[in-house]
Amino acid sequence: MVVDDEKVQIESLRRGLRSRRFDVVEALNGDEAMKCLNDENGSIDMVITDYAMPGMNGIDLLRKIREKNNALPVIMMTAYGEKDLVIDAMRNSCDSFIEKPFTLEMLMNEIDRNMLKAMENKNSRELSQVIPEFVHQINNPLFSISAGAELAICDLERDNTDALRDRMTRIIK
């Protein structure tokens, strides 16, 4: 999604991004962007937004996006490269910041970097959900093996070689 109050800027970005095979959803302000994000039901993979817009500026839009989705990558564009603006954007979990004027290649580098980071975060979240199941699957047989080994030691102390042989065979299996 590209959010900018300047139609020429949206047109330029749409053409450039479509030439790179991206689908582009457009919004002329923050309210339109939030409506699109709600209507698109999670099909938007990234937001590229201008900072200086009437009504809801880019930081306000970023805050609203973060209230609903903390993982959606947001790239902030601005002609005002003020340090305080960048700090405010980063404090509100802005993923990237690009200063106007920029080339399509510069924007593509930011998009690629953010897409890679989003994939890594997704893989990390998925892995953290699967790990407890793996641990459970491993712990159950390990408990049985450990219990069998302890019983084998007891059999060894009682000099019960047939029972010991039986337990050791089960542990090996």
Side-chain angles (χ1 to χ4, degrees):
M1 173 186 286
V2 175
V3 186
D4 200 312
D5 61 319
E6 296 180 30
K7 290 182 181 183
V8 173
Q9 182 73 19
I10 285 184
E11 176 69 21
S12 174
L13 290 170
R14 180 173 27 86
R15 286 180 186 212
L17 292 170
R18 284 191 177 160
S19 75
R20 301 295 175 99
R21 305 205 189 287
F22 285 99
D23 292 326
V24 179
V25 175
E26 305 164 15
L28 290 169
N29 58 53
D31 290 324
E32 272 187 36
M34 289 308 298
K35 184 178 181 324
C36 286
L37 285 168
N38 291 331
D39 291 349
E40 293 292 326
N41 243 355
S43 66
I44 293 177
D45 298 317
M46 182 176 293
V47 175
I48 303 168
T49 184
D50 190 23
Y51 165 73
M53 296 182 290
M56 186 188 309
N57 68 29
I59 298 290
D60 295 333
L61 175 59
L62 174 62
R63 287 183 184 124
K64 285 198 175 249
I65 290 170
R66 291 297 174 243
E67 286 173 9
K68 293 186 175 278
N69 186 336
N70 215 20
L72 182 65
V74 176
I75 298 175
M76 182 88 55
M77 328 176 267
T78 186
Y80 313 104
E82 297 174 11
K83 185 171 106 176
D84 291 341
L85 173 61
V86 174
I87 290 170
D88 197 16
M90 296 304 165
R91 281 187 179 144
N92 285 283
S93 301
C94 185
D95 296 285
S96 193
F97 203 89
I98 191 163
E99 198 171 339
K100 293 177 182 178
F102 54 84
T103 64
L104 182 59
E105 285 308 311
M106 292 166 68
L107 179 60
M108 290 308 303
N109 287 338
E110 289 303 308
I111 289 171
D112 290 345
R113 189 175 64 77
N114 281 283
M115 288 174 68
L116 181 61
K117 189 168 87 174
M119 283 190 298
E120 288 171 351
N121 288 342
K122 180 182 177 197
N123 290 341
S124 178
R125 279 191 307 277
E126 288 174 355
L127 187 59
S128 68
Q129 292 170 350
V130 172
I131 284 176
E133 186 178 329
F134 284 143
V135 169
H136 179 73
Q137 294 295 327
I138 291 170
N139 278 342
N140 282 345
L142 285 177
F143 178 75
S144 297
I145 292 168
S146 175
E150 286 181 26
L151 289 172
I153 289 171
C154 291
D155 288 338
L156 184 62
E157 289 170 355
R158 282 186 250 137
D159 199 23
N160 190 349
T161 54
D162 291 336
L164 176 63
R165 185 175 297 111
D166 186 45
R167 291 194 194 288
M168 295 307 287
T169 303
R170 277 194 262 156
I171 288 172
I172 291 169
K173 285 182 185 177

